[in-house]
Amino acid sequence: MPTTAPTPTASGPHYRVEVLDPHSHRFAVSLTIHRPSAKQRVALPVWIPGSYLVREFSQHLLNVRAEQAGQSVPLRQLDKNTWVANSSPEAPLVLRTEFYAFDPSVRTAWLDASRGFFNPTSLCLRVLGQEDLPHTLELAENTHTKGWQVATSLPPLKTKRSGFGSYRACGYDELADSPVELGRFWSGSFKVRGVPHRFVVSGAGAWFDGERLLRDTQRIVETQIAFWHGTKDKPAFDRYVFMLYATDDGYGGLEHRHSTALIAKRADLPRLPGPDATPGATEPALKATDGYTQLLGLISHEYFHTWNVKRLRPAEFKRYDYDRENHTELLWFFEGFTSYYDDLLLRRAGLITPAVYLQLLTKTANQVLQTPGRAVQSVAQASFEAWTKYYRVQENTPNATVSYYTKGALVAACLDLTLRAEGHSTLDDVMRALWQRCAGGPMKESDLLAVLRQLGRRDFGADIAAWVHGTAELPLADKLRALGLQATEEPAALAQRLGLRVTEGSGGIAIKTVLHGTVAADAGLAAGDEWLGIELSPLNEGGDPESWRVHKLDEVVMYLGPRRHLTTLVARDKRLLRLALAWPAPATSLKIALPTAPADGAPWKTWLG
């Protein structure tokens, strides 16, 4: 049905977005400022909240011109993302812009003949001085958008059944936080506690099982709302939209107050039963390695952010500064704790088994243990330096940094298991108490410490200092054992033993990263090397030396036999090098599992729901 809502009373900025040319990937945007100031300034954001990197969206601005009363107005660029119009306050000021949109990620904008997507931070100039006035967004139809639909979480003013029309935002912050999906897409919906949730999927085939995705997402939503608000209260929002773009190869998400934008591999979507399926057969149980498990974890992660970072958020994010980096040391809490709960709440929703959850936790633990940078950078430092390090991945990143996602998740696990073992509270209770203490708004680390002291009945300052602000190893294995679970060692993968991160193929073994303190580093191997072959000394006295071409690390093991030394043949900058390598000693990784004989009433059962 078409939708109509009251027009905002204040004459704030009005944006009209239109598909200009899908083949050259151009949007046209006109901005009407009804009451401009003399010499009105406008600016385009340089970053988007939730993705902590200055991305310079103005690089995609193709042109901008201004006019008043039908006459051209001089426009001068002040810096990389700010312009001033030689305007007067006596007539509306109109700025006409064009933007190039060919980034398929969730962070910017995309346009081709089959689909459009944009975050307003990529297309909508901020009117300085009018950020808190009501804003309107008009999505215009034309011949390029015939048969298309619109999905956005913005409240409608006057829209057609397709969704084209006008929407309102209470200010620029809400506009910036409301991505828009355009095109032909699958759509489904459900309600939880009276709150409508819509799910749209672009890029899927007719084989896609939308009903299963919708059903599983609803279970995630119900579990998370109950987590934060108990069994009766309504959530802190009145609408929500999931926007998923299914592509050949991609993964990621970006959270918003009333929506999320997601990307996943098309092959990871749930599928309708094939021609050989048994009629009435139950859906197979999810495994930790399933792409669909990963997709559900992504959905859970971004939805949890609706509370944890979009409302309960760092004090530094009380008001975003769109023109520069917004530093905080708390991403280990907002991203890390969200990463802890995303899979845990899949388990509590009944979508994965306890064993599968522990496999996912094992993967996270080993990702941290296999990162030498954990001894170099604290997770608080990692949070603060996200702008310069986390999103600028290069060959030395694992040696110099630690992820505030993965280590933050393990900090959350250690806190939760500690609270449960000491018998006074749980991290679930802490999160809810933080929500109440901070009124679902800005928080500081001191708020977390205060709640931990209150509910845990002791001072947790030393724990946070060691786990968050220090680089000591986390006591995860001991905490798991104390809860009655198995935390044992198993042989590490060969690449980890050698200290390499590689890709293997017909051309050879391409070395992506060499980890510090390993035999590969001692041998002089370097990122960018192509490992072509090996030379081996005779296995027996009087025997012949051997030389072998290799394409996979497993082939090195096969040719090496019982020997402990070899010479690697690598290509570096077109030169062939011979580097002596000593075979590494056996190494282990962590394995977390259920006990072989679970006891009745074991504390881990309550933890895993």
Side-chain angles (χ1 to χ4, degrees):
M1 292 291 292
T3 305
T4 304
T7 302
T9 55
S11 298
H14 176 84
Y15 302 84
R16 186 179 190 273
V17 177
E18 186 175 8
V19 173
L20 180 62
D21 183 357
H23 300 300
S24 60
H25 319 292
R26 287 182 294 153
F27 282 107
V29 183
S30 63
L31 164 60
T32 301
I33 307 171
H34 298 286
R35 298 175 183 174
S37 62
K39 298 189 181 302
Q40 177 67 60
R41 295 190 180 200
V42 295
L44 194 68
V46 303
W47 71 290
I48 181 169
S51 183
Y52 307 106
L53 177 68
V54 171
R55 297 187 182 275
E56 310 293 19
F57 298 132
S58 59
Q59 68 180 299
H60 301 301
L61 174 59
L62 300 178
N63 60 64
V64 55
R65 57 194 186 278
E67 61 184 56
Q68 272 188 302
Q71 300 296 314
S72 178
V73 172
L75 193 67
R76 181 164 61 94
Q77 188 167 359
L78 300 179
D79 56 33
K80 65 182 181 180
N81 68 313
T82 309
W83 292 260
V84 59
N86 190 24
S87 56
S88 72
E90 299 170 359
L93 173 66
V94 180
L95 287 91
R96 304 189 188 280
T97 58
E98 294 178 18
F99 289 89
Y100 178 72
F102 203 56
D103 181 347
S105 78
V106 296
R107 299 177 294 262
T108 53
W110 169 271
L111 180 64
D112 66 8
S114 63
R115 174 181 178 260
F117 171 85
F118 67 88
N119 288 285
T121 45
S122 291
L123 301 188
C124 297
L125 291 161
R126 194 166 87 260
V127 182
L128 303 188
Q130 298 192 18
E131 293 94 335
D132 294 330
L133 290 177
H135 287 47
T136 56
L137 174 67
E138 178 188 353
L139 302 172
E141 288 182 293
N142 59 27
T143 56
H144 298 305
T145 61
K146 185 177 181 180
W148 282 20
Q149 298 173 277
V150 171
T152 181
S153 64
L154 282 170
L157 284 171
K158 185 176 182 181
T159 60
K160 298 181 178 181
R161 184 185 298 273
S162 63
F164 283 94
S166 297
Y167 294 84
R168 63 177 171 84
C170 62
Y172 188 84
D173 282 345
E174 183 178 18
L175 177 71
D177 202 32
S178 305
V180 176
E181 178 76 27
L182 305 161
R184 296 179 177 88
F185 47 72
W186 176 92
S187 179
S189 62
F190 59 84
K191 285 187 177 182
V192 175
R193 300 195 192 181
V195 178
H197 289 69
R198 185 184 186 190
F199 208 129
V200 302
V201 180
S202 176
W207 44 264
F208 159 58
D209 189 350
E211 292 307 313
R212 182 180 181 186
L213 179 64
L214 205 64
R215 185 168 64 248
D216 291 343
T217 300
Q218 182 170 349
R219 291 171 71 175
I220 292 169
V221 167
E222 291 169 345
T223 301
Q224 294 202 13
I225 290 177
F227 174 93
W228 286 101
H229 301 291
T231 58
K232 296 181 180 179
D233 293 344
K234 284 192 173 184
F237 47 93
D238 60 359
R239 62 196 184 278
Y240 198 87
V241 181
F242 297 92
M243 289 174 269
L244 171 61
Y245 175 42
T247 184
D248 180 60
D249 187 18
Y251 176 81
L254 190 62
E255 68 275 2
H256 303 279
R257 284 178 67 87
H258 293 94
S259 63
T260 182
L262 309 163
I263 288 181
K265 291 182 180 179
R266 198 171 288 117
D268 292 345
L269 295 175
R271 306 171 193 177
L272 294 169
D276 298 327
T278 303
T282 59
E283 294 164 349
L286 289 173
K287 301 188 292 290
T289 54
D290 286 344
Y292 186 48
T293 303
Q294 184 183 46
L295 172 57
L296 292 177
L298 176 64
I299 292 168
S300 180
H301 182 99
E302 301 304 335
Y303 193 69
F304 198 82
H305 271 317
T306 311
W307 293 268
N308 197 43
V309 91
K310 295 311 299 183
R311 290 172 173 81
L312 187 67
R313 61 191 184 277
E316 296 89 346
F317 292 177
K318 183 177 182 180
R319 188 67 185 262
Y320 296 122
D321 185 340
Y322 294 100
D323 294 323
R324 58 187 54 84
E325 297 91 338
N326 292 217
H327 291 286
T328 178
E329 286 191 345
L330 285 173
L331 295 182
W332 60 269
F333 178 87
F334 290 99
E335 290 293 356
F337 280 41
T338 299
S339 296
Y340 170 63
Y341 275 111
D342 53 20
D343 290 335
L344 183 57
L345 292 177
L346 288 188
R347 166 57 217 137
R348 293 183 185 171
L351 292 170
I352 58 176
T353 65
V356 167
Y357 170 71
L358 294 180
Q359 291 169 18
L360 294 170
L361 182 60
T362 297
K363 179 181 178 182
T364 300
N366 283 317
Q367 284 175 335
V368 174
L369 290 171
Q370 295 165 8
T371 302
R374 74 187 188 282
V376 176
Q377 184 187 53
S378 74
V379 75
Q381 287 176 300
S383 301
F384 194 86
E385 296 180 317
W387 299 88
T388 50
K389 293 186 177 180
Y390 182 80
Y391 285 95
R392 300 182 190 275
V393 179
Q394 37 89 3
E395 72 284 347
N396 196 49
T397 292
N399 294 316
T401 68
V402 69
S403 167
Y404 50 78
Y405 283 89
T406 52
K407 187 174 180 182
L410 299 187
V411 169
C414 287
L415 272 177
D416 198 4
L417 298 176
T418 298
L419 289 164
R420 290 173 184 275
E422 294 178 1
H424 301 302
S425 190
T426 70
L427 191 59
D428 303 1
D429 298 327
V430 168
M431 298 299 289
R432 288 187 285 266
L434 268 173
W435 177 263
Q436 295 296 327
R437 176 185 174 91
C438 301
M443 65 161 274
K444 300 179 180 179
E445 186 177 301
S446 57
D447 292 308
L448 173 61
L449 289 170
V451 171
L452 285 170
R453 176 189 285 273
Q454 176 188 358
L455 299 185
R457 302 185 189 179
R458 69 170 177 87
D459 187 354
F460 280 78
D463 303 88
I464 296 299
W467 301 346
V468 172
H469 297 281
T471 57
E473 298 288 8
L474 297 175
L476 178 64
D478 291 339
K479 301 293 182 183
L480 291 164
R481 295 185 193 107
L483 214 65
L485 293 165
Q486 292 188 40
T488 58
E489 295 181 342
E490 64 178 5
L494 178 56
Q496 186 61 33
R497 291 177 58 197
L498 291 168
L500 294 173
R501 295 185 181 178
V502 303
T503 57
E504 300 170 318
S506 58
I509 302 168
I511 297 177
K512 302 300 183 183
T513 296
V514 178
L515 301 178
H516 288 176
T518 64
V519 296
D522 293 340
L525 292 168
D529 287 353
E530 185 180 6
W531 189 348
L532 302 174
I534 60 174
E535 293 179 346
L536 301 169
S537 59
L539 187 56
N540 301 305
E541 185 177 352
D544 295 325
E546 301 177 58
S547 298
W548 296 96
R549 183 77 162 91
V550 295
H551 302 89
K552 297 180 180 180
L553 291 178
D554 286 343
E555 294 175 346
V556 176
V557 178
M558 178 177 67
Y559 297 135
L560 185 63
R563 287 166 284 213
R564 303 292 305 171
H565 294 84
L566 66 150
T567 298
T568 64
L569 302 178
V570 302
R572 181 184 302 169
D573 191 27
K574 301 291 186 179
R575 292 185 298 173
L576 295 177
L577 304 177
R578 301 171 70 251
L579 303 174
L581 184 143
W583 198 247
T588 59
S589 59
L590 181 65
K591 180 180 180 180
I592 306 167
L594 296 171
T596 53
D600 292 338
W604 63 264
K605 292 185 177 181
T606 303
W607 173 48
L608 297 182

